[in-house]
Amino acid sequence: MQLGDFQQLIRGMYHEKDVARGIDGTFMWLMEEVGELAAALREGTLEEQRGEFADVLAWLTTIANVAGVDLTEAIQEKYGSGCPGCGRMACDCDDAEKP
């Protein structure tokens, strides 16, 4: 499944509920899932980790849908030509720098 397909899938399943909840409420759900992912990475099985990664991606995608952001376009604009810091496809930024 491609990212754009996933974004449309999530939109089709949940968009009315997501819009009603709003960005703030949806962000809180994302943060809860990030916490669950952290716990799964520390102590969970691979199956649990996979499920939590999927949940985090789904909630992030939900926020993008509510905000009207096409994730495929956003990712292409930010990372499609290489690292946003140094511009290279294999990042050469100092380790102390973001990204």
Side-chain angles (χ1 to χ4, degrees), residues 7 11 15 18-19 22-23 60-70:
Q7 188 166 6
R11 176 183 294 278
H15 193 66
D18 296 336
V19 169
I23 290 174
L60 182 65
T61 300
T62 295
I63 294 172
N65 282 340
V66 173
V69 172
D70 181 308

Side-chain angles (χ1 to χ4, degrees), residues 18-96:
D18 296 336
V19 169
R21 184 185 318 104
I23 290 174
D24 292 343
T26 302
F27 183 79
M28 295 305 293
W29 279 105
L30 171 63
M31 291 298 96
E32 183 174 323
E33 291 299 338
V34 169
E36 291 176 11
L37 174 59
L41 288 169
R42 278 193 307 271
E43 305 172 350
T45 65
L46 179 58
E47 183 178 340
E48 291 167 335
Q49 292 170 4
R50 290 168 49 114
E52 295 305 332
F53 273 111
D55 288 346
V56 167
L57 184 58
W59 283 104
L60 182 65
T61 300
T62 295
I63 294 172
N65 282 340
V66 173
V69 172
D70 181 308
L71 287 173
T72 300
E73 288 179 8
I75 291 167
Q76 181 62 40
E77 288 172 12
K78 179 100 184 203
Y79 295 99
S81 298
C83 170
C86 65
R88 297 189 174 158
M89 292 309 284
C91 178
D92 194 31
C93 293
D94 185 283
D95 287 342

